[in-house]
Amino acid sequence: MRPAVLSISTERVLAPIRNAVLAHAGYGVIPARSTEYALKVLRARHVCAIVVGNSVSLRDRGLLRVEAHRCGVSLVVLDPYDDESGDQSELHVNPLDGPEIFLNAVARLVARDHQSCARKPN
């Protein structure tokens, strides 16, 4: 089974490209164009990681962070100016660093969190 990644962004050009990169890397991508939809997905099904695009507002990032923490899911936040939160369940990646750095960040979180998912009984 492919690890599911919830990808949240309001960008109309970059988000589909980023989602294609994730899918090509072997992830099951769940695209979300709004925070409200992303929160519904998080409450309804399991995901292994969340990618938060730089088009998502700081307020909405906070809402996603709280819900992700409640669900035990890690985030990759794409923002060249965002400060690290110090939280190990959240990685910040500069989207200008390229797809390899981005995919490495997603892979690290999924590998770490997917091990704990595999141990949980259904």
Side-chain angles (χ1 to χ4, degrees), residues 101-116:
I101 301 295
F102 165 63
L103 287 175
N104 285 340
V106 173
R108 275 199 322 263
L109 291 180
V110 168
R112 184 188 69 204
D113 294 348
H114 203 59
Q115 288 174 352
S116 64

Side-chain angles (χ1 to χ4, degrees), residues 62-79:
L63 294 172
L64 291 164
R65 186 177 291 123
V66 168
E67 189 64 22
H69 185 69
R70 188 188 70 74
C71 296
V73 180
S74 297
L75 291 93
V76 174
V77 179
L78 299 169
D79 191 344

Side-chain angles (χ1 to χ4, degrees), residues 5-121:
V5 174
L6 178 59
S7 178
I8 308 152
S9 180
T10 60
E11 303 158 332
R12 295 191 184 271
V13 176
L14 294 178
I17 294 169
R18 183 170 42 251
N19 294 343
V21 167
L22 285 165
H24 186 71
Y27 298 104
V29 181
I30 305 165
R33 299 209 38 206
S34 72
T35 300
E36 294 77 22
Y37 179 73
L39 291 171
K40 285 180 186 178
V41 169
L42 276 173
R43 292 174 184 137
R45 67 169 290 182
H46 171 76
V47 298
C48 296
I50 302 169
V51 174
V52 181
N54 57 346
S55 62
V56 177
S57 72
L58 290 175
R59 177 190 167 281
D60 286 353
R61 286 183 200 183
L63 294 172
L64 291 164
R65 186 177 291 123
V66 168
E67 189 64 22
H69 185 69
R70 188 188 70 74
C71 296
V73 180
S74 297
L75 291 93
V76 174
V77 179
L78 299 169
D79 191 344
Y81 307 109
D82 206 4
D83 294 326
E84 292 288 335
S85 68
D87 185 351
Q88 291 199 0
S89 66
E90 188 173 319
L91 290 177
H92 293 252
V93 175
N94 184 337
L96 302 176
D97 287 342
E100 186 175 329
I101 301 295
F102 165 63
L103 287 175
N104 285 340
V106 173
R108 275 199 322 263
L109 291 180
V110 168
R112 184 188 69 204
D113 294 348
H114 203 59
Q115 288 174 352
S116 64
C117 295
R119 288 187 233 126
K120 290 180 186 175

